[in-house]
Amino acid sequence: MSILFKKTPKRKKNIFTAIDIGGSKVCCAIAKLDERASGENLKIIGLGYQVSRGIKNGTITNLEELEDSILNAVHSAEQMAGDTIEEVYVNLAASCTKSHTVDVEIALNGQVISDIQIRQLMALGRASFVNPYSQIIHVLPIAYALDDVEGIKDPRGLVGQKITASLHIVSAQLSLMQNIANCIGRCHLDVSGFVVSPYASGLSILDDDELELGVTIIDLGGSNSSIASFLDGALVHIDSIPIGGSHITSDIARGLSTPLVQAERLKTLYGTTIFSSSDDRETILVPQLGEGMHQITNQVPKSLLTQIIRARAEEMLEMIWKRLQHSGMDRLVCQRVVLTGGGSQLPGIRELASNIWGKQIRIGYPKGIVGGSDIVSTPMFSTCGGLLKFALRDYIGDESQISPVYDDGAILTRIMGWIRENF
């Protein structure tokens, strides 16, 4: 058994920490329960952002560069919080994970269903997964069936002869998880748990009604775009495509012959997917590639920039829809679509998606999180906010929320790690 969790949790003062390792940025957020607010609101007490280096499409390409990015983000968050952290929840890119569903059942013989039977079903689901090169991240119940009655969400307290569970199992390559855990360990931190990115985003931005009726979220990240579909309160599907906001930036750099830094600046200042009648007359100054300190610029019509951005955005949205059609999610849960992530802040992307998909689209913002800075209330904080929500629910043991996680493997791994260290 692989040891991904070095020690038993040492959380102090109800403080939760998340590290979102994305394709364009690393974000570290430290939060605590907001005692003045009702419900499960979290207050950000520390926040750190750094440019993401040493990782591409969720895979580590340079361990030292990624370590530096994480250390700098953590240091900034700790300085703001006035405290040090010891353990964190970390995301895994959907592009590095696989998911499938499995049905398991056990005989009841008239017994009353309790947590014992539920955990037995989860253990059977884990046992059905046999892959020495992968490790399970989540075992998420989709629905239960008691005898001939289907569609049961919470069977505890009921009586029957047999119970069947449909489980959504999400796994990741073992070596990847070990490498990320090792990188976090080099930053003198322990990994409390891994969460697949789009699932975390869903925890952060979705309403209860959306979860119940069915919804698909599209997290437009830096190096890839993640997909997560929810139905009847459960995560039923995850997927991704290898295109994100950084590809738009690269297209601008190539198309306008300008450095990547300047391309990102142009995208931020003037980027849109919507053409305007004045675009051909309006010009923008574009610093030219390779001119160094000479700062030679070229004037180009704004319409050219919009054309470059729109072409890549259309390709990205069409690829996402093809993936949804391939999985069948376009018919099952795609009446409601939510865009989130940094790419969703591109002006006009919502309208473009609505035209291409023929669906009503909204932009998803983190909920139930306050403090820190204005970034906390933007779509680019969705994954990090969801990691904090996951940490909170893991801490209080709330299994009444969407897709409760009965993660026996994570608990067992922590116990085994403690035994190996102390005996």
Side-chain angles (χ1 to χ4, degrees):
M1 178 177 291
S2 61
I3 304 301
L4 297 179
F5 303 89
K6 294 185 178 180
K7 303 176 182 178
T8 53
K10 299 184 292 182
R11 185 179 293 109
K12 54 185 179 181
K13 295 178 278 187
N14 293 350
I15 290 177
F16 312 95
T17 306
I19 296 181
D20 172 15
I21 304 175
S24 59
K25 56 96 175 53
V26 172
C27 174
C28 177
I30 306 172
K32 66 178 181 179
L33 278 172
D34 189 359
E35 299 176 354
R36 295 175 299 177
S38 59
E40 298 176 4
N41 285 343
L42 289 166
K43 182 177 182 180
I44 302 295
I45 59 174
L47 188 66
Y49 263 86
Q50 286 293 319
V51 174
S52 179
R53 301 186 187 282
I55 190 165
K56 185 176 182 180
N57 292 327
T59 301
I60 298 176
T61 58
N62 189 309
L63 186 63
E64 290 187 359
E65 287 185 352
L66 180 59
E67 180 185 345
D68 287 341
S69 295
I70 293 173
L71 276 173
N72 290 331
V74 170
H75 180 67
S76 298
E78 287 180 332
Q79 280 194 318
M80 182 176 173
D83 200 355
T84 57
I85 58 175
E86 296 176 323
E87 60 179 61
V88 297
Y89 284 80
V90 184
N91 66 312
L92 285 175
S95 59
C96 301
T97 63
K98 294 183 178 180
S99 71
H100 69 278
T101 59
V102 61
D103 292 336
V104 295
E105 73 173 48
I106 58 173
L108 296 172
N109 300 320
Q111 296 182 51
V112 176
I113 300 171
S114 66
D115 286 338
I116 295 175
Q117 286 76 25
I118 299 299
R119 292 188 182 278
Q120 287 177 351
L121 290 168
M122 301 304 121
L124 284 174
R126 286 185 170 276
S128 69
F129 181 84
V130 181
N131 187 333
Y133 304 106
S134 296
Q135 179 155 319
I136 293 175
I137 309 170
H138 306 297
V139 178
L140 306 172
I142 298 174
Y144 298 93
L146 182 60
D147 296 333
D148 296 326
V149 181
E150 299 180 349
I152 297 174
K153 292 184 179 180
D154 188 352
R156 286 171 289 190
L158 301 178
V159 177
Q161 296 302 310
K162 70 174 182 178
I163 181 172
T164 304
S166 293
L167 306 176
H168 183 190
I169 296 178
V170 182
S171 63
Q173 193 175 43
L174 180 58
S175 60
L176 171 66
M177 296 176 68
Q178 290 173 329
N179 285 330
I180 293 179
N182 179 40
C183 186
I184 297 294
R186 287 166 60 121
C187 299
H188 311 291
L189 297 169
D190 296 326
V191 177
S192 295
F194 289 99
V195 186
V196 64
S197 293
Y199 176 47
S201 297
L203 292 174
S204 176
I205 68 173
L206 296 178
D207 293 329
D208 291 340
D209 286 343
E210 288 176 321
L211 293 165
E212 189 67 26
L213 297 173
V215 63
T216 291
I217 67 168
I218 311 296
D219 191 331
L220 303 176
S223 58
N224 60 72
S225 298
S226 303
I227 303 166
S229 297
F230 298 81
L231 183 63
D232 294 330
L235 176 68
V236 296
H237 177 72
I238 62 170
D239 204 347
S240 69
I241 64 165
I243 296 181
S246 62
H247 294 81
I248 296 177
T249 302
S250 296
D251 288 351
I252 295 171
R254 292 190 182 97
L256 301 183
S257 189
T258 191
L260 286 169
V261 173
Q262 296 297 334
E264 183 67 28
R265 183 184 69 86
L266 292 171
K267 184 178 73 173
T268 302
L269 291 177
Y270 309 107
T272 180
T273 65
I274 301 175
F275 289 104
S276 170
S277 58
S278 62
D279 284 351
D280 287 330
R281 299 189 301 272
E282 185 178 349
T283 60
I284 55 177
L285 294 176
V286 179
Q288 292 301 285
L289 184 66
E291 296 295 343
M293 298 298 293
H294 298 290
Q295 291 295 317
I296 296 177
T297 60
N298 187 23
Q299 284 191 339
V300 301
K302 186 183 175 184
S303 59
L304 179 56
L305 176 65
T306 304
Q307 181 180 346
I308 294 171
I309 293 174
R310 186 181 177 97
R312 177 64 82 167
E314 286 178 344
E315 179 193 15
M316 178 172 62
L317 295 173
E318 288 170 355
M319 284 184 65
I320 290 171
W321 196 250
K322 286 180 180 178
R323 295 298 301 171
L324 289 169
Q325 287 178 319
H326 178 74
S327 65
M329 291 298 128
D330 63 313
R331 299 183 301 274
L332 188 61
V333 293
C334 280
Q335 292 303 313
R336 284 158 291 275
V337 180
V338 180
L339 295 181
T340 193
S344 67
Q345 297 177 276
L346 179 66
I349 192 70
R350 174 181 178 177
E351 293 78 7
L352 183 61
S354 181
N355 290 335
I356 292 176
W357 298 340
K359 306 291 181 181
Q360 185 174 357
I361 312 292
R362 79 169 180 90
I363 304 297
Y365 299 87
K367 300 177 181 182
I369 301 175
V370 297
S373 68
D374 293 340
I375 294 176
V376 171
S377 60
T378 66
M380 66 186 303
F381 192 74
S382 294
T383 298
C384 200
L387 289 172
L388 293 173
K389 290 288 187 73
F390 185 94
L392 173 61
R393 292 177 179 180
D394 193 23
Y395 175 67
I396 65 179
D398 183 1
E399 297 177 346
S400 65
Q401 303 297 328
I402 69 168
S403 302
V405 180
Y406 303 89
D407 202 343
D408 302 304
I411 296 171
L412 182 59
T413 304
R414 295 175 188 175
I415 293 173
M416 291 296 293
W418 183 84
I419 291 173
R420 292 191 182 189
E421 282 198 353
N422 291 277
F423 294 96

